[in-house]
Amino acid sequence: MPTILSYVAVSGGKPTRASFEVLTRCRQIAEAQGWDLAAVVLAPDAETFAEAAGRYGAATVYAVSSPDFDHALNPPVLAALTTVIELAQPAVVAFPSSEGVKDVLGALAVRTGGAALADVAEFDVSDGAVEALRPVMAAKFMARTRAEAGDGSPVLVSVRSGSYTDEEAPVQPTVETVVFESDASTVRQTLREVVAAAGGAVDLSDARVVVAAGRGVKDDEGKRLVEELAEVTGAAIGASRAVVESGMFPATAQIGQTGKVVSPDVYFAVGVSGAIQHVAGMTNSRIIVAINSNPDAPIFDVATYGIVGDLYKVLPPLIEELKKANAA
Amino acid sequence: MKFCVCIKQVPDVSAPIQIRGGELVMDAGRAVLNAYDASAVEEALVLTAAHGGEVDVLLIGPEKAAETVRKALAMGAARGTHLVVADDAELDSGAVSALLARHLDGHAYDVIATGKQAQDTDAGLAGSMLAERLGLPYATNAVGLAAEDGTLVVTRQGDAGQEIIALPTPCLVTCSNDMNDPRIPNLKGIMAAKKKTIDTQPVADLPAASVRVLRYEPVPSREPGQKLDGEPTEQAAAVVRKLHDASVL
């Protein structure tokens, strides 16, 4: 029976929500196709996440533990995933899309003789191939795309966050502990430093609430209001390209087609005009609240609730109302 | 350092593009150097100006794409190679990287650079595929490059922050357009480019593509929303009420 293998990414010591979205989609496909569902976790202590993967239906969890996975170099990740793919012989391997996944997806496809589909908005299996819908042309269009790998090779798919809803379906998984020792001679690169983003304490990609600042946030006072709104809603702070380029917000906060793709329950677009590349990074948000003084700003085309107004006048009462709601 | 920058000609995504019968319809005349590749060319030119060496560019594309090779030469690249394929050649990232690897095998470049993705397909796979085929250490999504003796120091934008990675040469790097503002070729550069040679090589046997586009579709639109009227205090109260009713806060 073929296997579909789902990659569970660990960030800040816990599996990411996007991983469970992908695992849920893999379970749906496994049920429809009559396939086996397995998960793979790479972490310093990978076995500890097996139960979480089982909660979403993974019957087998390949756990690869190594301190190497605490940092960002691609050779050990590639080596470990290749080992697991050789063991599990999956027909399809699905990943939550992230910079870490984008870093290895192509190389892994070549190494395993497989095919790869990056950053899909939806995917399914039909006649032994994977069909997916991908945003293309700077996210102006979707391409319905089909990938077929050679005999015995997998199709690799990375999935944009928020494309699917995570749903639990608990099973007791079999844990396959994969012994892995990184071969130092194959690493050939050195991580000198990780400059962590200065910003909110909440991980943007996984956040349930996001406050995104755009060009309308002009000064320290505007930034302070954005930070206060984030604080009162427990939100992660994001930014449009314009305010990242101006240096007001760090590059790690950039949301959009070339930045982070986010899919929170609530997305506050504060002074964001809504360029198509920005919208591509947040269109999977459940509720979008847009505040912009320009009534014709394209952000209002995607907003669930739009407020045409000056953010400097709208945010203070909004923050007050939210404080009241929190206290109630 | 000797650089080879792999570049691509892409449709100008800011031009009007429509879908007819599942196909994209656009002005074929409006084609440009992929913005991410332009940043890779720019960075290679800056590094070679500072540390010595030169920059070659390599492009796979139809005959028309020669103009994009010429543009990179006008920016300051020394030599261009154009692997010519038919207008309707079916190439996916795997096939592109196989063609590039076939050509680059045996060349002694210190650094192979390319954009992190192409603006038309937005796949972002060919770079790391090429590194794997050539057996090179690599880093993706670079936002800064520096050269040291025998080492390329890459600042890449990762998930949790910026990672500074030292790669021994020969190596491969894919570049973000957040890295620099690529120069616009000046008249001197354009005149100089006319004298530079482009090595044009027809590609006879295309590697097989495993990924095919079946058709193009519009982006699904969201449900139309509503604008909230009133004074800021009323608008704020209305938003909070709606978020509360939706049980999201």
Side-chain angles (χ1 to χ4, degrees), chain B residues 52-70:
Chain B
E54 54 185 19
V55 180
D56 292 351
V57 292
L58 170 61
L59 175 144
I60 299 169
E63 280 179 15
K64 181 188 175 343
E67 66 199 25
T68 291
V69 180
R70 194 68 66 188

Side-chain angles (χ1 to χ4, degrees), chain B residues 210-244:
Chain B
S210 51
V211 177
R212 281 186 308 122
V213 174
L214 304 176
R215 64 181 175 275
Y216 292 95
E217 300 175 11
V219 175
S221 56
R222 287 177 64 97
E223 293 276 311
Q226 64 177 116
K227 286 201 175 134
L228 304 171
D229 296 323
E231 292 299 310
T233 49
E234 293 164 322
Q235 292 168 317
V239 165
V240 172
R241 202 163 45 244
K242 287 181 181 299
L243 296 178
H244 190 267

Side-chain angles (χ1 to χ4, degrees), chain B residues 90-153:
Chain B
E90 280 212 5
L91 289 169
D92 65 354
S93 309
V96 164
S97 62
L99 264 183
L100 293 172
R102 198 193 290 169
H103 176 81
L104 287 164
D105 202 21
H107 283 73
Y109 288 108
D110 296 303
V111 180
I112 295 168
T114 187
K116 69 169 180 171
Q117 63 197 65
Q119 285 170 289
D120 51 357
T121 63
D122 283 324
L125 296 165
S128 71
M129 283 179 160
L130 179 58
E132 178 67 20
R133 291 186 196 282
L134 296 172
L136 294 175
Y138 73 92
T140 59
N141 202 19
V143 292
L145 295 183
E148 292 174 7
D149 191 23
T151 303
L152 185 74
V153 182

Side-chain angles (χ1 to χ4, degrees), chain A residues 72-74 78 97-111 114-119 131 133-149 187-197 203 205 208-209 233 241 245 251-254 257-260 265-266 268 277 282-289 295-296 300-309 313-314 317-319 321-322 325-326, chain B residues 11-19 24 26 36 92-94 97 116-126 128-133 135-141 143 148 151 153 156-168 170 176-181 209-230 232-240 242-244 246-249:
Chain A
L73 293 174
N74 50 45
L78 277 167
S97 189
S98 66
E99 286 306 338
V101 165
K102 284 178 190 178
D103 194 40
V104 297
L105 197 69
L108 187 65
V110 169
R111 197 171 290 193
L117 289 165
D119 272 337
E131 264 195 35
L133 208 54
R134 299 186 56 249
V136 293
M137 295 279 171
K140 281 184 168 177
F141 299 99
M142 305 298 264
R144 189 160 293 280
T145 310
R146 186 176 169 86
E148 282 180 79
V187 173
R188 292 186 298 160
Q189 52 182 276
T190 322
L191 180 67
R192 289 191 178 174
E193 193 182 349
V194 176
V195 185
D203 177 13
S205 307
R208 292 281 180 190
V209 183
T233 52
R241 187 182 174 109
E245 283 186 342
T252 31
Q254 188 173 317
Q257 192 220 1
T258 61
K260 287 205 162 82
D265 289 337
V266 189
F268 290 97
Q277 289 83 353
M282 46 70 88
T283 191
N284 283 344
S285 307
R286 191 173 141 205
I287 293 175
I288 297 169
V289 179
D296 299 320
F300 291 122
D301 296 338
V302 295
T304 320
Y305 304 113
I307 295 178
V308 178
K313 293 195 174 79
V314 173
L318 179 58
I319 290 163
E321 285 290 335
L322 287 161
N326 286 352
Chain B
D12 179 352
V13 291
S14 63
I17 304 174
Q18 288 154 345
I19 302 180
L24 293 181
M26 60 194 112
Y36 304 102
D92 65 354
S93 309
S97 62
K116 69 169 180 171
Q117 63 197 65
Q119 285 170 289
D120 51 357
T121 63
D122 283 324
L125 296 165
S128 71
M129 283 179 160
L130 179 58
E132 178 67 20
R133 291 186 196 282
L136 294 175
Y138 73 92
T140 59
N141 202 19
V143 292
E148 292 174 7
T151 303
V153 182
R156 77 177 293 268
Q157 189 63 54
D159 289 306
Q162 293 193 334
E163 298 150 9
I164 298 168
I165 296 170
L167 294 171
S176 166
N177 58 338
D178 297 326
M179 189 182 255
N180 52 38
D181 285 319
S210 51
V211 177
R212 281 186 308 122
V213 174
L214 304 176
R215 64 181 175 275
Y216 292 95
E217 300 175 11
V219 175
S221 56
R222 287 177 64 97
E223 293 276 311
Q226 64 177 116
K227 286 201 175 134
L228 304 171
D229 296 323
T233 49
E234 293 164 322
Q235 292 168 317
V239 165
V240 172
K242 287 181 181 299
L243 296 178
H244 190 267
S247 309
V248 290
L249 283 183

Side-chain angles (χ1 to χ4, degrees), chain A residues 217-235:
Chain A
V217 178
K218 290 188 171 65
D219 51 21
D220 287 349
E221 171 61 10
K223 192 176 178 192
R224 191 190 62 74
L225 287 168
V226 164
E227 286 165 351
E228 200 175 347
L229 177 60
E231 192 181 341
V232 79
T233 52

